[in-house]
Amino acid sequence: MEAFIDYVVKGLVDHPEAVRLATIERQGTTVYELRVHPDDVGKVIGKQGAMINAIRSLLQAGGAKKGLRCLLELVEDKPPQS
């Protein structure tokens, strides 16, 4: 599942080298925490959340086929305020 997310997200963004994916297990569910360059957050979310929701749907369908529960969280790292 990680390879799928990595492939799709890197194809969307302008800064593929900044894509980071962490896997966390929570109560029988695999949570994938996605971090991207701040300029690419909008591209991953898409208009009205359409892109991130499509990725989540495909992830859930692929996970269900393997008997897994999977979630995708987009983590935004806020730049420090001066």
Side-chain angles (χ1 to χ4, degrees):
M1 300 312 293
E2 286 182 48
F4 163 73
I5 297 168
D6 197 52
Y7 176 78
V8 170
V9 173
K10 284 185 177 181
L12 291 173
V13 298
D14 290 332
H15 305 280
E17 71 283 350
V19 174
R20 301 286 178 262
L21 191 61
T23 306
I24 300 169
E25 288 293 328
R26 285 190 205 149
Q27 302 168 351
T29 301
T30 304
V31 179
Y32 296 100
E33 288 188 348
L34 176 65
R35 287 178 165 77
V36 296
H37 191 278
D39 294 342
D40 293 329
V41 171
K43 290 182 179 187
V44 173
I45 293 173
K47 289 185 180 180
Q48 298 179 349
M51 188 62 67
I52 192 75
N53 287 333
I55 296 169
R56 285 176 175 151
S57 295
L58 291 171
L59 178 67
Q60 287 177 340
K65 222 172 176 181
K66 295 182 178 185
L68 305 171
R69 295 188 68 210
C70 303
L71 296 175
L72 178 64
E73 292 181 359
L74 181 61
V75 180
E76 294 184 60
D77 294 327
K78 302 284 184 192
Q81 295 183 2
S82 30

